[in-house]
Amino acid sequence: MSPEGHATMHALSRGFLAAGATLTLLFAAGCSSSDSGNAVAADTTTSSSTSAAASTTDDVTGQEGIDAGGSTDIDVEIGQCVELGGTMTAATIANAECGSMESNYKVIAKAEQNEQCPTDVNQTYYETLDGVEQGALCLDVDWVVDGCMSVPTGGIDEPARVDCSDPSATDVEQVTEIKTGTADPNDCPEGGFAYEARQFVVCTTTIS
């Protein structure tokens, strides 16, 4: 019998500079967001249409997690990316090149159980065998500086990379900068997604 894949849903909140309010967004297969940050300067200038060579959050110390054990069927290392889909109880996962159109999450740590992941990760993917958890991947959105992600405001859809100029894309956020050393989205010109436990914030501007 092969292990079953599951995902744990968390809330991803975007902090706004002007009003200081937050909008809670739910990711289908399980995203967990938090409000923290470390100030890290954006380091790339990719085009609005992101490519596989686009710069991601490689310099964010908070994403350099550890392998704390556990086992999953997918062969992926910390710092690599995946395409996560399916549902919370029947999640699907595949290897993807970071920054590519297929990639929506980056592996920032591994654990024996999903509850051992950092509290502010966007998503956790874990596998069970006969109801016993075998291992978990701790996942953040695969943000790309200057790139765009469609971030669902509800329902069961996962975030997806989109072309910034795509008129049919909805709920689109473009990453303008990644800061470390701060958990305050007010440190961003137009607000952003803050990771409180690991102290970094992804500054974004709303496209649609």
Side-chain angles (χ1 to χ4, degrees):
M1 179 182 294
S2 61
E4 294 180 308
H6 305 267
T8 301
M9 180 178 291
H10 305 278
L12 180 65
S13 299
R14 185 180 191 278
F16 293 90
L17 177 66
T22 57
L23 174 65
T24 299
L25 311 177
L26 295 181
F27 287 165
C31 68
S32 79
S33 90
S34 85
D35 309 331
S36 43
N38 296 335
V40 162
D43 56 54
T44 65
T45 54
T46 59
S47 64
S48 295
S49 176
T50 56
S51 67
S55 172
T56 56
T57 51
D58 292 338
D59 295 330
V60 178
T61 302
Q63 290 189 318
E64 297 172 357
I66 62 172
D67 186 342
S71 175
T72 58
D73 273 355
I74 184 171
D75 184 13
V76 63
E77 300 300 326
I78 295 171
Q80 296 180 335
C81 294
V82 297
E83 179 180 15
L84 184 67
T87 66
M88 291 176 63
T89 57
T92 62
I93 193 167
N95 297 92
E97 186 173 359
C98 292
S100 68
M101 295 302 287
E102 293 75 26
S103 171
N104 56 358
Y105 288 105
K106 179 177 183 179
V107 179
I108 63 93
K110 295 182 179 182
E112 292 183 344
Q113 297 184 333
N114 74 92
E115 293 179 351
Q116 297 170 328
C117 288
T119 57
D120 60 353
V121 292
N122 295 130
Q123 178 76 285
T124 56
Y125 169 83
Y126 62 100
E127 293 178 353
T128 61
L129 183 62
D130 295 331
V132 178
E133 195 163 339
Q134 304 297 301
L137 302 178
C138 312
L139 309 172
D140 280 351
V141 172
D142 181 25
W143 302 111
V144 173
V145 175
D146 289 337
C148 288
M149 293 291 288
S150 173
V151 183
T153 56
I156 61 171
D157 293 330
E158 292 290 340
R161 197 174 315 286
V162 296
D163 190 311
C164 297
S165 61
D166 184 353
S168 66
T170 59
D171 302 316
V172 178
E173 296 289 332
Q174 183 174 24
V175 179
T176 58
E177 185 178 7
I178 298 170
K179 293 177 176 286
T180 60
T182 176
D184 189 356
N186 290 316
D187 288 335
C188 299
E190 299 181 45
F193 297 86
Y195 295 75
E196 202 168 276
R198 290 171 290 150
Q199 288 291 293
F200 71 92
V201 60
V202 178
C203 303
T204 64
T205 184
T206 300
I207 301 298
S208 66

